[in-house]
Amino acid sequence: MIRKIYRILFSEKTRLQFHIILMKLKALFLRGNRYFCLCCGKGSSKFLRKGNGLEYRENAVCPNCGSLERTRLLYLYLKNETEIFHGSPLILHFAPEHILKKKLIKNPNYKDVDINPNFATLKMDITDIQFPDNYFDFIICSHVLGHIPDEKKALNELFRVLKPDGNLFILSLLDPNIHETLEDPDAITPLQKLHKYGEKDLERLYGEDFSKRISTSEIRIEKIDYRINFTEQERQKMSLGDGKREIIYKVVKTSQHCFHLF
């Protein structure tokens, strides 16, 4: 009841601001150097845990900037292995992570979008991207695709607006122990989805077939586990995850053809 009243009294945007303030207050009590976040450059005695009621990941959230394991690893990859922070490339960023957006928004050609206007500058549906064909040099789509009912339409749109030789980075929750992506039409309610897929608003749980699932003749796909570039000690200090949420799929478009392939 208290939660319902809280939601009635305060808008979603205000609740998000409260969350950030509370997190920063926690950070004051977690000063230290056992853990280090490359996104904000600050150390902590511990990171905050993250969970969904069924399981929790200890030391997952940086209390200073809110970055998750996947965000820290993606930032390291983008910074070390791409030109996304150099010059003024055209960038499209879905469901932008706060700390990553903070670094990229200095670029005047950066566009951050979300179906929920409280989470991004532009409101936009990933299945109806309001930009021209062959437009963006880089697209970041982290932990979005698995939540989209019409996955094929979303992929067509992503491929359509990506420039030839442009880079699309897709991350999602996946289970490395299953060969085929799990989709259960009987999993309808949030609780059913939580038990089936591990998150209450997922439409599917990807397996080892993800590359094959999104592949077309007009793209190249590289599966990247960037964690292997760091020692076990470094992975623990920066809390870079266990590989279930942090695998980067780099998609390079090789053709200017329109994408209506599924």
Side-chain angles (χ1 to χ4, degrees):
M1 184 176 293
I2 293 175
R3 184 174 295 179
K4 288 182 179 179
I5 294 173
Y6 174 67
R7 289 177 176 272
I8 292 172
L9 291 176
F10 301 102
S11 68
E12 186 174 25
K13 189 171 185 179
T14 300
R15 296 198 304 270
L16 288 171
Q17 292 172 342
F18 285 164
H19 176 76
I20 293 173
I21 293 171
L22 179 60
M23 184 180 65
K24 290 187 177 296
L25 287 174
K26 290 180 180 179
L28 295 175
F29 299 94
L30 296 174
R31 292 177 179 173
N33 58 12
R34 183 176 181 183
Y35 292 91
F36 183 72
C37 176
L38 265 294
C39 290
C40 62
K42 295 181 179 179
S44 301
S45 60
K46 63 180 292 186
F47 284 167
L48 305 176
R49 73 173 184 168
K50 180 76 173 177
N52 54 27
L54 288 181
E55 63 175 352
Y56 290 90
R57 309 192 310 277
E58 298 296 332
N59 298 301
V61 186
C62 171
N64 294 290
C65 71
S67 68
L68 293 168
E69 307 99 324
R70 61 181 181 257
T71 311
R72 292 187 288 275
L73 192 69
L74 179 59
Y75 171 65
L76 285 169
Y77 173 80
L78 293 175
K79 179 175 178 287
N80 296 337
E81 309 296 338
T82 78
E83 297 295 316
I84 198 169
F85 292 106
H86 300 278
S88 301
L90 288 153
I91 303 169
L92 180 61
H93 191 179
F94 282 94
E97 301 83 358
H98 174 73
I99 188 62
L100 197 51
K101 173 182 174 178
K102 189 175 180 180
K103 294 179 179 296
L104 290 168
I105 204 168
K106 299 171 186 177
N107 178 349
N109 292 321
Y110 169 78
K111 307 294 183 184
D112 63 297
V113 302
D114 197 290
I115 192 68
N116 187 332
N118 291 309
F119 293 126
T121 304
L122 300 174
K123 180 181 179 181
M124 197 171 295
D125 189 333
I126 195 172
T127 63
D128 184 22
I129 301 175
Q130 301 298 303
F131 288 103
D133 296 354
N134 307 308
Y135 189 75
F136 289 101
D137 299 294
F138 295 100
I139 302 177
I140 302 171
C141 184
S142 179
H143 287 250
V144 175
L145 194 60
H147 299 271
I148 307 302
D150 197 339
E151 173 198 44
K152 293 178 180 179
K153 190 173 182 181
L155 285 167
N156 275 326
E157 281 291 273
L158 289 169
F159 298 158
R160 177 183 66 79
V161 299
L162 184 66
K163 283 182 180 179
D165 296 322
N167 291 172
L168 161 63
F169 304 108
I170 303 178
L171 293 82
S172 187
L173 177 64
L174 59 84
D175 186 342
N177 297 315
I178 61 173
H179 177 68
E180 293 186 357
T181 294
L182 176 62
E183 289 184 288
D184 184 353
D186 294 326
I188 300 173
T189 69
L191 186 59
Q192 289 171 332
K193 292 180 179 182
L194 176 62
H195 284 280
K196 181 67 67 171
Y197 306 136
E199 292 183 15
K200 64 181 180 180
D201 54 353
L202 277 175
E203 297 294 329
R204 63 195 67 85
L205 177 61
Y206 290 116
E208 281 297 298
D209 63 335
F210 184 71
S211 293
K212 182 179 179 181
R213 186 181 179 91
I214 69 172
S215 182
T216 78
S217 60
E218 282 80 15
I219 63 172
R220 296 194 310 271
I221 302 173
E222 182 181 357
K223 179 181 177 182
I224 302 167
D225 184 355
Y226 201 59
R227 298 174 307 139
I228 65 174
N229 292 275
F230 305 94
T231 66
E232 179 63 28
Q233 184 179 9
E234 289 171 330
R235 291 197 294 269
Q236 290 182 359
K237 189 174 184 66
M238 293 184 286
S239 187
L240 299 181
D242 58 7
K244 291 182 179 180
R245 295 168 175 81
E246 299 81 26
I247 300 299
I248 302 168
Y249 289 85
K250 176 184 175 182
V251 179
V252 180
K253 185 173 174 180
T254 60
S255 169
Q256 293 194 41
H257 295 166
C258 291
F259 281 84
H260 299 287
L261 305 175
F262 297 93

